[in-house]
Amino acid sequence: MGTGALAAVSLGGVTDLPSVSKAVSATDSVSDQWRPEYHFSPAEGWMNDPNGLVYHDGVYHLFYQAGETRRRWDHATSTDLITWTEHGTKIPATSSIQAFSGGAVIDHENTAGFGEDALLCMYTGHHDDGTEDQRIAYSTDNGETVHKYDGNPVIPSDVGDFRDPNPFWYDPDESWRMVVSRVQSTDGRPAGIEIYSSENFVDWAYESTYRSGVEGWECPSLIELPVEGANDTRWVLPVSPMEPRSVEFHVGHFTGTDFIAENIVRADYGYDFYATQCWGNTPTERGLNIAWMNNWEYAMEGPNPGWRGAMTVPRTVTLKDRGETTDVRQHPADEITATRTKTLVELDSEIITPSKDPLAKQEVEGRTVELIGTIDPLSSDRVGLRVRQGDTQESVISYDVVEEVLHFDRTNAGEFFDAGYYGTSSMPMEPLDDGTIALRVLIDRCSVEVFANNGRRTMTNLVYPDWNSTGISLFAEEGAAKVEHLIAYELSDNQ
């Protein structure tokens, strides 16, 4: 079972979902033409933000926003971050209050009194009049059944734009902390990320606000990570700015009451990476996170094959000491390598010119492919890859050597996107010290994720190509380039 073959298991949820099968041809089902093979997507219906990411007893829990018109928390689990089992709705909406985004923890010490190792969820109660408050739900059977706390809300509010609580355990004083978004200035408080503390997860005290200025931020989390190359740590605060829809990593120090940023890094330069959240309680802290692979600017207008919404591949965030600053690196989680079913091609020291493509005679194609390559631009002005190619379709990854910018073009990638509608995205990218560029590209049935220059830059975009658009090619313009090394794998979650 995986994202293309999802099983519904009744674990006390409100709704059990039907299973669906993988597609073997474009005519099997419209639903399966774009259904991801190794990314999570719901069997049916709507999905947006990831919620309540927590690991416990060998299981990764992924709650998520479901319900296109009234939000609730649905639930899926995995032991390998690739194959997922759905368990239906766990925090339903009521007739007057929707269950908006939030986080989850494991209460090892029973501080809240619900039971040792209880799974505690914090979520926003979004009232029909627009006000938002913070609430608790809990499970004492590892997520099989989830109960709303009778004393809700635990942080009352009579204003809106106050949402997305994300709690975590703070070791220095052995108590809880929580970050929550004050999206706009309300209730006499500035906009930004508010920090709260609690001894028992029920009674919360306001500590401070990490101010956003005029920006609206959503979906915060706060994690401490080691800094490679230094005997030190930094705290990373991911937030999702609403203009433009994106994710930023704010890197700095956390005192227990205040967050102080040292630098801010854009997490992803594509259109379809939003509302990222990190898994808590993992065996080792590796900044494991996932994001909603869509964009509010068009999410409700895109193709609707019976399910709507997918998650990115799980990623790891690491920090690297760069002297005066701390670099952020992102990579697909190591677990993705388990989806490699065969090697499609491997190249070394091959020249690319406007008339020569080293892949032309290799018959490399696929809807689910991983490409890992290093390219020396040499004398070319532009060099790159075309993927999901068909007679008239292609998604183009190109590096502008002169401008030092990586572009992604989906204007001819298939349905929905075009030249005037979110068709192209770009990101600044200096070459590596030896003048080369390094690309790791994950292609699935409806997405292309680019990890560039060893995780320094990433770009995530949806595409909706025809079933038969499966070609892959290399190109160089206005000169020659050289493939130092390239390997392509076929990917599948059918392990």
Side-chain angles (χ1 to χ4, degrees):
M1 294 178 294
T3 57
L6 300 169
V9 178
S10 178
L11 292 179
V14 174
T15 305
D16 291 328
L17 300 180
S19 62
V20 296
S21 299
K22 291 182 189 291
V24 294
S25 75
T27 58
D28 281 354
S29 168
V30 173
S31 173
D32 288 332
Q33 177 175 344
W34 298 310
R35 181 178 293 284
E37 178 81 13
Y38 56 92
H39 294 72
F40 177 74
S41 62
E44 61 181 14
W46 172 269
M47 178 181 74
N48 56 288
D49 301 3
N51 294 161
L53 303 186
V54 69
Y55 175 89
H56 190 228
D57 287 347
V59 175
Y60 293 94
H61 294 267
L62 166 62
F63 297 89
Y64 57 92
Q65 292 281 275
E68 187 165 358
T69 57
R70 296 195 66 78
R71 302 288 189 267
R72 61 181 192 265
W73 281 34
D74 279 11
H75 184 214
T77 57
S78 175
T79 58
D80 62 6
L81 293 172
I82 302 298
T83 54
W84 293 90
T85 301
E86 291 190 64
H87 306 293
T89 300
K90 294 303 174 71
I91 305 180
T94 71
S95 60
S96 60
I97 304 174
Q98 298 176 58
F100 271 25
S101 293
V105 296
I106 302 298
D107 188 6
H108 295 294
E109 305 299 326
N110 191 24
T111 62
F114 300 123
E116 185 177 334
D117 283 347
L119 194 162
L120 308 182
C121 303
M122 288 208 69
Y123 67 98
T124 293
H126 179 85
H127 298 249
D128 286 355
D129 64 3
T131 60
E132 294 179 331
D133 54 33
Q134 315 314 319
R135 296 170 174 252
I136 290 175
Y138 64 94
S139 172
T140 57
D141 52 15
N142 206 23
E144 293 189 13
T145 54
V146 178
H147 311 278
K148 294 179 180 179
Y149 175 52
D150 288 340
N152 281 330
V154 294
I155 303 181
S157 167
D158 59 4
V159 296
D161 286 328
F162 177 46
R163 56 181 173 269
D164 309 337
N166 209 323
F168 60 98
W169 182 252
Y170 186 61
D171 275 328
D173 64 8
E174 297 186 333
S175 64
W176 299 105
R177 295 295 187 274
M178 177 181 62
V179 287
V180 60
S181 296
R182 183 75 65 175
V183 182
Q184 303 293 335
S185 298
T186 56
D187 200 24
R189 295 234 178 106
I193 305 303
E194 295 188 346
I195 298 166
Y196 287 75
S197 63
S198 177
E199 298 289 335
N200 60 9
F201 208 82
V202 173
D203 302 302
W204 292 90
Y206 168 78
E207 298 288 349
S208 68
T209 299
Y210 173 56
R211 299 189 180 202
S212 64
V214 298
E215 286 190 284
W217 290 342
E218 296 184 305
C219 306
S221 53
L222 189 56
I223 57 171
E224 186 178 19
L225 294 174
V227 180
E228 296 177 11
N231 185 24
D232 204 355
T233 65
R234 289 292 186 275
W235 287 80
V236 180
L237 174 64
V239 298
S240 293
M242 299 174 69
E243 294 292 340
R245 299 286 182 177
S246 58
V247 173
E248 295 174 348
F249 293 136
H250 294 232
V251 182
H253 298 272
F254 180 55
T255 67
T257 57
D258 297 273
F259 177 79
I260 303 97
E262 290 182 339
N263 63 314
I264 300 172
V265 177
R266 182 162 176 173
D268 194 283
Y269 286 80
Y271 286 117
D272 298 303
F273 186 90
Y274 195 70
T276 189
Q277 190 174 131
C278 298
W279 265 280
N281 200 50
T282 53
T284 57
E285 183 54 84
R286 51 182 178 147
L288 184 66
N289 70 97
I290 204 167
W292 180 43
M293 195 161 57
N294 215 322
N295 191 310
W296 280 119
E297 299 303 318
Y298 48 73
M300 293 185 174
E301 302 169 14
N304 184 4
W307 57 274
R308 302 183 86 176
M311 297 296 177
T312 64
V313 292
R315 299 181 177 187
T316 58
V317 174
T318 58
L319 303 178
K320 190 173 181 63
D321 180 49
R322 300 289 288 180
E324 295 183 357
T325 188
T326 303
D327 252 3
V328 176
R329 304 287 176 87
Q330 296 179 81
H331 300 278
D334 290 343
E335 286 83 349
I336 194 68
T337 61
T339 67
R340 296 171 181 169
T341 55
K342 67 178 181 181
T343 300
L344 298 173
V345 70
E346 189 165 7
L347 302 177
D348 285 290
S349 298
E350 293 280 354
I351 296 297
I352 320 166
T353 71
S355 60
K356 180 183 178 183
D357 171 14
L359 294 179
K361 297 181 180 180
Q362 299 287 341
E363 297 183 356
V364 180
E365 62 178 10
R367 303 175 191 91
T368 55
V369 177
E370 179 183 14
L371 296 157
I372 303 174
T374 301
I375 299 173
D376 188 336
L378 296 180
S379 63
S380 65
D381 287 348
R382 186 180 293 263
V383 63
L385 287 156
R386 295 184 176 95
V387 301
R388 294 306 304 267
Q389 281 184 288
D391 292 339
T392 61
Q393 295 180 349
E394 60 183 10
S395 294
V396 184
I397 303 161
S398 64
Y399 182 64
D400 187 315
V401 180
V402 177
E403 299 295 331
E404 296 185 344
V405 173
L406 190 76
H407 300 278
F408 185 83
D409 187 335
R410 61 181 177 184
T411 57
N412 295 308
E415 292 194 21
F416 192 59
F417 302 109
D418 57 39
Y421 195 78
Y422 300 94
T424 58
S425 55
S426 304
M427 62 184 178
M429 193 178 86
E430 295 180 357
L432 298 173
D433 291 343
D434 62 0
T436 64
I437 61 168
L439 299 176
R440 185 175 181 184
V441 182
L442 297 178
I443 305 162
D444 208 338
R445 292 180 186 170
C446 69
S447 63
V448 180
E449 292 168 279
V450 180
F451 297 80
N453 282 0
N454 305 318
R456 289 175 173 86
R457 291 282 191 271
T458 71
M459 184 184 293
T460 302
N461 286 294
L462 293 171
V463 292
Y464 298 106
D466 293 343
W467 184 255
N468 293 323
S469 296
T470 59
I472 299 171
S473 63
L474 288 160
F475 68 91
E477 297 177 359
E478 304 299 327
K482 182 170 71 170
V483 178
E484 300 281 5
H485 182 74
L486 184 141
I487 189 166
Y489 300 100
E490 179 183 78
L491 303 183
S492 174
D493 73 349
N494 238 347
Q495 302 299 303

